[in-house]
Structure formats: C-alpha cells, structure tokens
Amino acid sequence: QFWYTCKWVCKGSKRSILSFKPEVYEKIKSGKKKFEHRRNFPDEPIMAYMYVSAPIKAIKGIVYLGKRHLLSDWREEFKNDKAAVVRIEKYQELYRYAMEINEFQETTEISLGALRRDVSGFVAPQMYIYLDGTELLDYIENKIENLDGCTVHDYSVIKSNEVCVH
C-alpha cells in the first residue's frame, strides 16, 4: 500500500456514482478492503464517486475499480483452501462479482442536501448510476476537490486469504 496523490488516468473508463454504507467506506479508506463485491457489475474499469449513505449522506471520495472477478472462478482457483472456499460460498449467497479496488482518493464532501438543491431530480443511487454526459457529472467535477493521500493496491498476486474478506 502506497500513499500519494492519485494519478490514475481513467481514460476510457466509465464514470459513475456508487453507493456505500459508512462502514464499507471506512474500510476502503483505510485500505483494509481490497475488493468491492456486487451482484451485478460492468466488466470494465470504473471511476466512481463514492456516495456514503445515512447517516453521512454525502459524496466523500473516489474509487477506481479495475478487473472484475467471478466468485465462482475464485472458488475453483482456491479450492484447496477450505477456509477460502467457505468464505467464497458465503459471499456467493449475496454477490456474483468482486472488483479490484485499484485506488481510493478521499475528497471534500458534497452533501445530499446540496446535490438535491443544485441538481434537478437528484436521487441517491441504490447501487450505481453512470454519469458520463450528465449535468450531475459537471456539477460534481466543479465542486469536488481531492484531499491529501491515496490508497493504492497491487493485484499482481491475489492470495486466498485476501478474497471474500471484510
């Protein structure tokens, strides 16, 4: 894990807003959480503004998600690690995919109140929404500022004890 100002170039990456519970946001921010698990997710890198749900109710960061992994593939890959198989099977009850969290960047906050006031029809996302070509993307990019520090993960080797945790 390295700390520096994020320099990820998301050329070609779709930009979106993803919704996170506060405890998940904190695990991503601290670097403890290396994968984001979802039932449905695009098979492409994503640059996402992180909307943190109640009681925070604000955009508070940016996450850069890379490769998408099928949990069923991990179950096969790590079949000789019984503890990993148990974790993977438990996650498969709720999720289908794990996305690599390549980078996390903490940002200034944009409150739900400000979003509703300034962007016509804004509704907090339940899962994710794409932003490319929207008034909302322009608004966020004009309001948000990166704070110091960035969490970066290396996925050159994925170990069985790293999957389906947190």
Side-chain angles (χ1 to χ4, degrees):
Q1 171 174 324
F2 307 95
W3 293 91
Y4 67 97
T5 301
C6 282
K7 304 236 187 272
W8 176 298
V9 178
C10 67
K11 231 182 202 177
S13 295
K14 290 195 182 265
R15 292 171 289 180
S16 64
I17 293 182
L18 286 174
S19 186
F20 294 89
K21 293 179 180 174
E23 60 273 14
V24 173
Y25 170 82
E26 289 299 328
K27 287 177 183 177
I28 292 171
K29 179 181 171 183
S30 73
K32 289 181 184 178
K33 184 171 170 69
K34 292 180 66 174
F35 296 95
E36 175 58 17
H37 299 88
R38 302 275 169 142
R39 179 162 297 284
N40 296 304
F41 222 81
D43 185 20
E44 59 197 348
I46 298 286
M47 178 274 204
Y49 292 100
M50 300 178 74
Y51 177 81
V52 184
S53 61
I56 307 294
K57 297 182 183 177
I59 293 173
K60 289 185 52 99
I62 299 171
V63 67
Y64 299 90
L65 302 174
K67 184 177 178 183
R68 181 180 79 173
H69 299 270
L70 267 170
L71 296 184
S72 57
D73 290 346
W74 276 352
R75 190 184 182 295
E76 178 62 25
E77 181 178 346
F78 299 116
K79 65 185 175 192
N80 295 326
D81 181 333
K82 290 180 182 177
V85 169
V86 168
R87 286 193 319 273
I88 292 165
E89 287 176 346
K90 184 160 181 63
Y91 269 61
Q92 283 182 299
E93 293 172 11
L94 297 173
Y95 311 111
R96 188 169 175 213
Y97 300 107
M99 296 284 289
E100 295 175 358
I101 299 172
N102 290 331
E103 294 184 12
F104 163 80
Q105 173 69 57
E106 189 173 15
T107 66
T108 54
E109 195 170 295
I110 304 174
S111 71
L112 176 59
L115 289 160
R116 285 183 174 159
R117 180 189 68 232
D118 298 338
V119 180
S120 173
F122 179 80
V123 177
Q126 294 300 310
M127 290 291 284
Y128 63 90
I129 55 174
Y130 287 118
L131 295 173
D132 292 326
T134 67
E135 170 192 354
L136 180 55
L137 177 60
D138 294 338
Y139 175 80
I140 293 170
E141 287 181 342
N142 287 320
K143 290 281 186 189
I144 209 159
E145 294 179 25
N146 289 351
L147 299 176
D148 290 339
C150 176
T151 303
V152 178
H153 296 286
D154 175 18
Y155 295 94
S156 53
V157 175
I158 298 173
K159 299 176 188 163
S160 63
N161 66 345
E162 296 175 315
V163 303
C164 297
V165 294
H166 302 294

